[in-house]
């Protein structure tokens, strides 16, 4: 896992923005941590945060699509750990394509915090627990809020 090139994301002033967090419950220990970190960062930035849960990563797309029409940004969180079959590849590809399509079609920022790891240990190291290398829940929230602010600036300037 490489952190090379990762920007140092700073908290943003998201006062007045509405953001939804939708998290899978599969691999609950990881997803609960991602969920908690995203919510904490969103609130720290001043955003109004709404929370939703789904069973697995494949269920994220349809819920994110519904939320994208009603929020300034959406954060999708999950954890897919590779097993011994190609199922991992299909799930990861499907989720990534769905979230990308929803963001483009709705013009709503979607923070993709779906971890795709080879092992549980790699997922823990990206989950934002104390001592972990990364905080993908918090980072996904910051990326979504930052993009929502940029879009708001563009939309004001082009009216």
């Amino acid at each position: 896992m490489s952190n090379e090139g990762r920007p140092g994301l700073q908290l943003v002033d998201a006062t007045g923005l509405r953001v939804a967090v939708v998290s899978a419950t599969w691999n609950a220990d990881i997803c609960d941590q991602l969920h908690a970190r995203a919510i904490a960062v969103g609130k720290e930035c001043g955003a109004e945060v709404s929370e939703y849960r789904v069973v697995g990563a494949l269920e994220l797309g349809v819920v994110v699509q519904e939320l994208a029409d009603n929020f300034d940004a959406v954060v999708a969180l999950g954890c897919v750990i590779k097993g011994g079959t190609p199922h991992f590849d299909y799930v990861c590809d499907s989720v990534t394509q769905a979230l990308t399509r929803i963001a483009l079609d709705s013009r709503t920022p979607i923070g993709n915090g779906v971890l795709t790891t080879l092992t549980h240990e790699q997922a823990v190291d990206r989950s934002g627990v104390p001592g972990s290398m990364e905080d993908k829940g918090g980072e996904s929230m910051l990326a979504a809020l930052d993009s929502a602010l940029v879009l708001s600036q563009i939309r004001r300037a082009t009216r």
Side-chain angles (χ1 to χ4, degrees):
M1 161 170 48
S2 172
N3 286 321
E4 191 173 324
R6 183 174 62 155
L9 296 175
Q10 302 296 317
L11 293 180
V12 297
D13 181 2
T15 304
L17 291 183
R18 296 177 60 240
V19 61
V21 176
V22 57
S23 302
T25 57
W26 202 275
N27 295 307
D29 61 323
I30 302 299
C31 290
D32 289 349
Q33 177 65 22
L34 294 169
H35 190 83
R37 289 298 305 140
I39 291 165
V41 169
K43 288 181 177 179
E44 193 172 350
C45 290
E48 178 186 325
V49 181
S50 297
E51 306 175 45
Y52 302 90
R53 299 306 285 259
V54 297
V55 174
L58 284 175
E59 289 74 36
L60 289 168
V62 68
V63 174
V64 168
Q65 185 172 37
E66 184 69 22
L67 294 168
D69 290 336
N70 299 296
F71 287 86
D72 299 301
V74 181
V75 177
L77 303 168
C79 178
V80 185
I81 300 172
K82 188 169 178 79
T85 70
H87 183 70
F88 171 87
D89 299 315
Y90 300 130
V91 170
C92 295
D93 188 51
S94 294
V95 171
T96 301
Q97 287 189 37
L99 297 179
T100 301
R101 193 193 87 221
I102 294 163
L104 294 172
D105 290 350
S106 68
R107 296 181 179 183
T108 301
I110 308 298
N112 183 347
V114 179
L115 302 182
T116 56
T117 63
L118 300 177
T119 67
H120 183 267
E121 293 75 26
Q122 287 176 342
V124 170
D125 206 31
R126 299 175 79 196
S127 70
V129 295
S132 62
M133 290 179 60
E134 298 178 84
D135 177 5
K136 289 301 182 186
E139 291 171 14
S140 298
M141 174 61 77
L142 286 173
L145 291 175
D146 183 70
S147 294
L149 291 168
V150 170
L151 285 172
S152 177
Q153 180 184 15
I154 292 167
R155 290 169 181 158
R156 281 192 311 272
T158 59
R159 285 187 187 159

